[in-house]
Amino acid sequence: MRLALKAETPIFIAAVILGAGIALEHGAVEHGGLLLWGLLGLILAAIIGVAFRISHHAEVLAVRWGEPYGTLILTIAAVSVEVVILVVLLQGAPNPTLARDTVFAALMLDINGILGIAAIIGGLKHGTTRYNLDSANSFMAMLIVAIGIGMFIPDFVPDEHWKAYSLFSVGTMVLMYAAFLRLQTVEHRTFFEHVAAVDEEAHDTKHSPSWLHVGIMIGAIVLVGLLSEVMSVLLDAGLTGSSMPKSLPAVLVALLSASPEILTAARAAAANRMQTTVNIALGASLATVLLTLPVIEGIALLTDERVIMALTPMQGGMLLLTMLAVMNNLHNGETNAIEGVSHLALFFAFAGLVAIGLL
């Protein structure tokens, strides 16, 4: 029991930071400067720590329960952090493009960042790393259509028809994800499996009850939401009147939710398990579009306030280059460090455009 509680130290520390954040929030907003940004840094670190614990408990349950529940648990755990933070931030200062920018940033991070880093690590260590080509093709077939429906077509939908189209897109994306989840875990399960045996649940040697992991996950997600409330206030205050990139909140949301995935993908690549990396990078991208967008569109319909989901020309161009790079690099079931460099270059281009305020 003592070791189990010790493992949850990041959650306990985050709870303490939450208390400090609530107590110091108004003073930090009034004084600004080091107090504001220092407190914001602590809040961000706390959210990342909690996100890693959520990911850990999801992995335990995924290994223990197997498919199809494993994929469902991992997906919900990864996306829930992003959705919770995003919904909380949307309640702050008006930012109609926050949801779009967050999904776009997540795609850049998941595809170019994770794939780029993992392909370089795997390529330098193992030369050429293999994965199941059917999985990459399946992910891309769904991802291109989902992005088109959710982020390209809205640019051409007039205001008087946005509700009807939102209802259509929400229903379509829910059906797409349900169908893909079924095919991924039943009929075409072999597309997404790694050839090696499943790793032993070494991180759960005490075999604690499943309900405990579920309970901790739910509590941790609630804690992320409370921390996000404080983060929203501090971010609004810090960005008001500053010259910092306006898309910074969106990038932070994407980074906070993807941080555990980056580490997991890097470890998998180092162990020559590129299939795991492909599942993480493309699977997280697909889940972000098919699960996050319906939630945001649903909130827009309930509040009767349209959110801007249509991509800007710059974002559309970056996504087009990314899709072309993925289709070119993931076309033969093998990847290497050269292909990783091409993805990482696109990610650096994204980061640079954000830094100078063009994205």
Side-chain angles (χ1 to χ4, degrees), residues 59-148:
E59 288 174 3
V60 171
L61 293 173
V63 173
R64 181 180 296 177
W65 292 355
E67 300 294 353
Y69 306 105
T71 299
L72 180 61
I73 293 168
L74 286 169
T75 301
I76 292 177
V79 177
S80 61
V81 174
E82 178 178 307
V83 171
V84 167
I85 299 175
L86 185 55
V87 169
V88 171
L89 291 184
L90 284 172
Q91 309 307 311
N95 190 345
T97 64
L98 177 61
R100 178 200 66 193
D101 294 343
T102 298
V103 173
F104 172 73
L107 291 172
M108 293 294 103
L109 186 59
D110 289 335
I111 298 178
N112 291 322
I114 291 178
L115 270 185
I117 292 171
I120 291 174
I121 292 174
L124 293 178
K125 189 169 183 179
H126 305 288
T128 299
T129 53
R130 298 179 180 274
Y131 57 91
N132 192 333
L133 180 59
D134 289 323
S135 66
N137 289 339
S138 300
F139 278 126
M140 290 305 298
M142 298 290 284
L143 190 57
I144 291 173
V145 173
I147 293 173

Side-chain angles (χ1 to χ4, degrees), residues 269-308:
N272 199 21
R273 293 189 289 115
M274 186 53 66
Q275 183 61 58
T276 300
T277 296
V278 171
N279 288 349
I280 290 173
L282 298 185
S285 299
L286 184 60
T288 295
V289 178
L290 291 183
L291 295 182
T292 303
L293 289 187
V295 172
I296 301 305
E297 291 286 1
I299 293 174
L301 287 169
L302 289 175
T303 58
D304 199 28
E305 293 183 8
R306 185 180 186 179
V307 293
I308 299 175

Side-chain angles (χ1 to χ4, degrees), residues 16 22 27 29 82 96 101 149 181 189 209 219 225 236 279 295 325 335 349 357:
V16 173
I22 294 174
V29 170
E82 178 178 307
D101 294 343
I149 292 174
L181 183 63
R189 177 176 171 178
D236 288 343
N279 288 349
V295 172
T335 189

Side-chain angles (χ1 to χ4, degrees), residues 13 26 49 138 195 219 325:
I13 293 175
H26 296 295
S138 300
V195 293

Side-chain angles (χ1 to χ4, degrees), residues 150-205:
M151 306 185 78
F152 274 99
I153 295 178
D155 193 30
F156 305 97
V157 177
D159 287 339
E160 59 267 24
H161 297 297
W162 78 267
K163 290 184 180 180
Y165 185 78
S166 287
L167 284 171
F168 162 77
S169 64
V170 168
T172 301
M173 289 185 185
V174 170
L175 287 175
M176 285 179 66
Y177 186 72
F180 186 79
L181 183 63
R182 163 78 187 192
L183 295 173
Q184 183 184 17
T185 56
V186 182
E187 283 83 2
H188 297 308
R189 177 176 171 178
T190 56
F191 287 5
F192 308 91
E193 290 180 335
H194 180 54
V195 293
V198 176
D199 294 335
E200 187 61 32
E201 201 177 351
H203 52 293
D204 187 37
T205 55

